[in-house]
Amino acid sequence: MDSQSEGFCVFDFVISERRTWCKFDPAGPIFNFAHIYPHNHKNMSETNGAPKKGVLERLRDGVVVGDGGFVFALEKRGYVKAGPWTPEATVEHPEAVRQLHREFVRAGADVCQTFTFYASDDKLDNRGNQANKTHTGAKINQAACDLAKEVANEGGCLVAGGISQTPTYLSGKGKEAVQAEFRKQIKIFIANNIDFLLAEYYEHVEEVEWAIEVLKETGKPVAANMCIGPEGDMHGVSAGECAVRMAKAGADIVGINCHFDPFVCLEGMRKMKAALDKADLHPYLMVQPLAFMTPDASKQGFIDLPEFPFALEPRICSRWEIMKFAREAYEIGIRYIGGCCGFEPYHIRAVSEELSKERGGFLPEGSQKHDQWGLGLRLHTKPWVRARARREYWENLKPASGRPFSSSCSKPDNWGVTAGHDMLKQKTDATTEDEIKQLAAK
Ligand SMILES: [Zn+2]
């Protein structure tokens, strides 16, 4: 296509070691999303010998877009079972995990997180789970590294090795036992020379401190996220204090993931930032929220909602809500912005599009099929749909749920038990029918 004959200027941007060519329409208020050339999917470090920029350098220089949630997306696609959240999908269905990595990269993610959520040996042995016996934790974690590295190399992305909270902690077995679980996973991440480490999904600040301590031993950059909201952790430690403690434990990047919707997570992040500023601590900030709206969730987030985990669909955020979130997050000063449960590739694409200017005009390949603010609808055959091809329409829409007999909010379950309580002691035996009857009667 001849750019001159169309009256476009051509800009050449180099962002996050990716090269993309965007045509910019000087007459228009926004990038013309219909005219994007695919960015070069080669890892620049492999093509020109320059060292790959690490996560901390990327954060210093701009925005890092994370990927989205694997467990919820792969559960819906039939590769993961809700409950144990079966990270053995990396061994059983590598093609499904690889494809999802690719879709997030196509949507503009800068990072491929290893799909190692709940892949500690104690979790793979918990409550009748046989995964540690049939596959072994080591094999599951190794397969996760192979897949994340493969796709990250295709897209010039970084690999983050992720660990998460453990049943060992919940059962009160103490620091040494908990850290021993983390070390088994981390040993594999280090053997694979992943780019940085991420401790995410911690409900108790004490456990994430123990995780950070172990991650710091490796010398790799360390990110730490808790799955808490503005009310703080499950033992009453405020969100601000949690952030300060994570930073003091040595985390280079601090934030919140999962459990709450994007805007509730940002409320928590504001509290974290205020406390960090007050303590004169300045780690990079990170947020990876749910893509489900949770204004009615209590302290433990969406886990307590009666719809968790099989009927959350009416709560899913639209791409427009995610764009609003990405902008607000950036304005707070958060530079690592991604997603957790419910975040599909199109949500990550929305983050990429909203922050395109901040990434020097970078637009992901996935945006070739998405004209911003619905401009593609100009090609629609029905005139009332063509009328929706404008920003004001989508920006102001309050989507209906289509469920006239549903209330807009729910009453969360709140059993008031947390780590240290007998009811949360974990075991390797399978849950019995009788136990389920007793729980249902509560
Ligand atoms: Zn999540």
Side-chain angles (χ1 to χ4, degrees), residues 287-299:
V287 68
Q288 303 212 98
L290 298 177
F292 303 110
M293 293 308 244
T294 63
D296 43 349
S298 52
K299 198 173 178 183

Side-chain angles (χ1 to χ4, degrees), residues 167-188:
T168 299
Y169 180 81
L170 219 49
S171 303
K173 291 185 185 165
K175 185 173 178 178
E176 210 176 310
V178 171
Q179 289 191 330
E181 290 298 329
F182 297 148
R183 283 202 177 90
K184 283 184 271 182
Q185 282 183 277
I186 291 159
K187 200 174 145 196
I188 294 166

Side-chain angles (χ1 to χ4, degrees), residues 69 71-72 117 200-201 227 257-259 288-290 302 339-342:
V71 286
F72 271 61
F117 178 71
E200 68 168 3
Y201 199 84
C227 52
N257 82 303
C258 207
H259 275 202
Q288 303 212 98
L290 298 177
F302 81 146
C340 201
C341 303

Side-chain angles (χ1 to χ4, degrees), residues 46-69:
E46 288 177 357
T47 54
N48 62 12
K52 191 157 77 168
K53 234 164 112 180
V55 68
L56 300 179
E57 291 75 36
R58 292 184 193 211
L59 287 165
R60 182 195 62 205
D61 297 344
V63 183
V64 169
V65 174
D67 58 7

Side-chain angles (χ1 to χ4, degrees), residues 58-255:
R58 292 184 193 211
L59 287 165
R60 182 195 62 205
D61 297 344
V63 183
V64 169
V65 174
D67 58 7
F70 274 66
V71 286
F72 271 61
L74 291 176
E75 193 277 332
K76 287 188 175 66
R77 298 177 188 192
Y79 301 105
V80 154
K81 189 187 285 188
W85 303 108
T86 59
E88 59 267 32
T90 56
V91 177
E92 292 176 340
H93 304 287
E95 72 293 347
V97 177
R98 185 187 292 112
Q99 175 65 17
L100 189 54
H101 277 307
R102 284 198 173 128
E103 288 179 24
F104 284 127
V105 172
R106 186 177 155 78
D110 292 310
V111 177
C112 292
Q113 273 185 237
T114 56
F115 178 34
T116 47
F117 178 71
Y118 276 168
S120 57
D121 284 359
D122 59 343
K123 183 71 182 173
L124 298 171
D125 271 332
N126 200 37
R127 295 198 180 277
N129 192 349
Q130 295 294 312
N132 199 28
K133 291 176 191 69
T134 49
H135 300 292
T136 76
K139 209 170 144 192
I140 292 166
N141 282 276
Q142 179 56 51
C145 288
D146 291 342
L147 292 163
K149 279 181 79 170
E150 179 188 337
V151 179
N153 283 335
E154 291 169 4
C157 298
L158 298 171
V159 177
I163 58 169
S164 45
Q165 67 179 14
T166 59
T168 299
Y169 180 81
L170 219 49
S171 303
K173 291 185 185 165
K175 185 173 178 178
E176 210 176 310
V178 171
Q179 289 191 330
E181 290 298 329
F182 297 148
R183 283 202 177 90
K184 283 184 271 182
Q185 282 183 277
I186 291 159
K187 200 174 145 196
I188 294 166
F189 299 146
I190 295 306
N192 284 276
N193 195 27
I194 54 82
D195 298 300
F196 67 102
L197 294 161
L198 167 63
E200 68 168 3
Y201 199 84
Y202 288 84
E203 295 174 307
H204 307 274
V205 69
E206 181 181 54
E207 190 181 13
V208 77
E209 284 175 318
W210 295 351
I212 294 165
E213 198 177 301
V214 175
L215 296 181
K216 287 300 284 183
E217 291 166 1
T218 66
K220 296 273 186 190
V222 171
N225 284 182
M226 294 184 71
C227 52
I228 58 172
E231 288 183 67
D233 93 341
M234 297 308 121
H235 279 108
V237 182
S238 72
E241 183 60 22
C242 285
V244 167
R245 284 174 61 174
M246 286 192 280
K248 282 188 175 165
D252 306 292
I253 307 164
V254 160

